[in-house]
Every structure is written in structure tokens, then in C-alpha cells.
């Protein structure tokens, strides 16, 4: 099974990395692909350039077999729609189960995603939850597709919704950017190599 983590990664931090390692173990994933979005349709535009976000991602996962920095959304013109990303991964991996990992905030907004029902034609969707998080009522489609056990994901290439509780570290890229703009030290919130890159390229120095 292959895991897929989308995001802006502006910059990548230990919140992303820790949850990836945790789901790698829980689901026995053969690899996890971090796929930065070029032009996210649902949010403000990133601060760092796409190429810089990609370079920070590569530095963060260097020497970590199983974690892959995947530039396919950056190579595409126009908006980054997840459904197109999944289609292209499915062409590459015709039979393997693909697991799209999303946070519970993203899940609560899932029905607003472009062609959201089609996501399930290409992948399973795994919602990473944490204690106390609010979960939207299940839509009719979700009721039918919800899997109760991990083995149901392994037995099908796509089509299931699954909820998995994970440890969520209280780290956000927004908080890191603010810290850097305020000349505070972000050490231990993200890898040293990424902090070094941010310094060298003078990223996030202004609000
Ligand atoms: P920003 O603060 O700029 O919105 P972010 O830190 O939330 O950024 P994104 O790149 O937007 O990071 O997040 C990509 C994915 O990573 C999302 O699915 C989000 O749910 C998840 N994620 C973000 N922060 C954490 C965290 N601390 N622990 C686990 N997952 C996280």
C-alpha cells in the first residue's frame, strides 16, 4: 500500500513527518509520497516558491527510504486538484492500494473538493483524527464506503473511507513562519537542514 500526503509544506515540519512515520507503521505502507501543491484551490497562495518548498521537503526526508518527495503537482499547469493527482498515480500503480491521508479539517470540507466522489475511484481516503476532534456526519456515500478494518483497505485498490487516530503534534507551518518573522528560534519544530535552508534563502522574514 502506498500513502499519499498532500499539502503546501510551507515549510514541511515535524507535525507532517511524525504523522507520516506513524501511519507508515500502522498501515505497513511500502512508501509515502509527499506531494506539494503548486496552486492550491482552497487556500491562500504559499509564501515560498514551489521549487523552494520542494527543496525543503527533499532535505527533510533525505536518507529516509520509504519517504518520497513527489513533484507531479508542481509540473502541472493550473490548479492542483487532488483527483488529477490520484488519476496520475493510479496510471503508475494500476493495482496497488493507494491511501490518501487527510486531516479532519480537510475531511469536514471534503464534499467541496473538485470531483470529490471520484477520489474514491482512484484511492482510499484515510482521515487522521485526534481525540476531541469534531467529525462531520457521514454522507450517504461515506456510510456505504466506510471500512472498519485495515485489511479491507489492503484487499481493495480504492473506494473506502477509514478513520485513524494519530498523535498530532501541536505544530503548524503558519506558527513557524510567524516565529521566523519575529526572529524567534524554531529549533525542534522542523529539521535542522530545513531551518538552515530557510536562513540561507531568507524565507519568511517578513509577515
Ligand atoms: P499552514 O499552517 O500553512 O496551513 P500546515 O502546517 O497546516 O500549514 P499543510 O501543508 O497545510 O501544513 O498541511 C498538509 C497536511 O498536513 C494536512 O493534511 C494537515 O492536516 C496535515 N498536518 C498539518 N499539521 C500537522 C500536524 N501538526 N500533525 C499532523 N498532521 C498535520
Amino acid at each position: 500500500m502506498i500513502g499519499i500526503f498532500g499539502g503546501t509544506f510551507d515549510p514541511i515540519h515535524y507535525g507532517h513527518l511524525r504523522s507520516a512515520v506513524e501511519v507508515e507503521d500502522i498501515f505497513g505502507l511500502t512508501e509515502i509520497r509527499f506531494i506539494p501543491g503548486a496552486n492550491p484551490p482552497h487556500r491562500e497562495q504559499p509564501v515560498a516558491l514551489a521549487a523552494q518548498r520542494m527543496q525543503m521537503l527533499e532535505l527533510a526526508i533525505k536518507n529516509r527510504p520509504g519517504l518520497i518527495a513527489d513533484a507531479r503537482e508542481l509540473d502541472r499547469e493550473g490548479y492542483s486538484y487532488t483527483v488529477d493527482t490520484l488519476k496520475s498515480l493510479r496510471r503508475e500503480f494500476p493495482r496497488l492500494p493507494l491511501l490518501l491521508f487527510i486531516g479532519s479539517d480537510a475531511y469536514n470540507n471534503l464534499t467541496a473538493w473538485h470531483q470529490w466522489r471520484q477520489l474514491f475511484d482512484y484511492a482510499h481516503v484515510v482521515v487522521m483524527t485526534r481525540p476531541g476532534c469534531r467529525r462531520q456526519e457521514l454522507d450517504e456515500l461515506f456510510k456505504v464506503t466506510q471500512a472498519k478494518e485495515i485489511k479491507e483497505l489492503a484487499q481493495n485498490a480504492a473506494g473506502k473511507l477509514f478513520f485513524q487516530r494519530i498523535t498530532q503534534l501541536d505544530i503548524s507551518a503558519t506558527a513557524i513562519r510567524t516565529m521566523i518573522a519575529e526572529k524567534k528560534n524554531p529549533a525542534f519544530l522542523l529539521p535542522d537542514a530545513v531551518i538552515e535552508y530557510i536562513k540561507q534563502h531568507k524565507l519568511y522574514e517578513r509577515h
Side-chain angles (χ1 to χ4, degrees), residues 9-196:
F9 306 118
D10 189 19
I12 179 124
H13 55 67
Y14 283 136
H16 304 128
L17 292 161
R18 177 60 222 160
S19 50
V21 171
E22 203 164 310
V23 299
E24 192 177 29
D25 282 345
I26 294 170
F27 293 89
L29 301 174
T30 44
E31 62 182 50
I32 294 188
R33 290 177 172 257
F34 289 95
I35 310 185
N39 203 350
H42 292 296
R43 53 176 288 162
E44 282 174 33
Q45 295 307 302
V47 178
L49 299 173
Q52 293 173 325
R53 292 183 286 118
M54 191 66 198
Q55 279 161 5
M56 291 190 278
L57 186 47
E58 279 165 357
L59 287 169
I61 64 176
K62 205 171 159 197
N63 304 324
R64 284 241 148 229
L67 300 187
I68 294 170
D70 184 326
R72 76 186 62 219
E73 290 197 1
L74 306 181
D75 300 337
R76 231 172 27 222
E77 296 282 314
Y79 283 127
S80 323
Y81 288 121
T82 302
V83 70
D84 297 328
T85 304
L86 296 181
K87 259 183 221 172
S88 110
L89 282 162
R90 180 49 76 205
R91 277 196 293 272
E92 221 170 293
F93 304 101
R95 268 178 278 277
L96 280 179
L98 299 177
L99 274 59
L100 173 69
F101 288 92
I102 61 172
S104 41
D105 293 355
Y107 165 70
N108 288 333
N109 191 34
L110 191 63
T111 51
W113 289 24
H114 181 63
Q115 298 182 343
W116 69 274
R117 287 171 194 273
Q118 275 86 330
L119 298 171
F120 293 89
D121 293 339
Y122 304 104
H124 301 303
V125 175
V126 179
V127 185
M128 298 178 290
T129 65
R130 55 190 153 156
C133 79
R134 198 179 58 86
R135 188 197 287 182
Q136 178 177 275
E137 269 302 300
L138 285 181
D139 178 280
E140 285 306 315
L141 175 93
F142 290 163
K143 279 186 193 144
V144 178
T145 58
Q146 191 180 359
K148 294 278 191 299
E149 291 182 63
I150 291 175
K151 68 169 189 259
E152 293 174 60
L153 304 179
Q155 287 161 354
N156 299 276
K160 302 282 181 194
L161 175 73
F162 192 76
F163 293 92
Q164 178 62 51
R165 182 176 286 198
I166 61 151
T167 317
Q168 182 140 19
L169 302 177
D170 189 9
I171 302 175
S172 78
T174 304
I176 291 173
R177 293 195 300 273
T178 303
M179 256 180 168
I180 294 168
E182 293 173 352
K183 301 196 186 322
K184 292 185 184 136
N185 185 355
F188 304 112
L189 296 177
L190 68 174
D192 287 341
V194 179
I195 296 178
E196 201 44 51

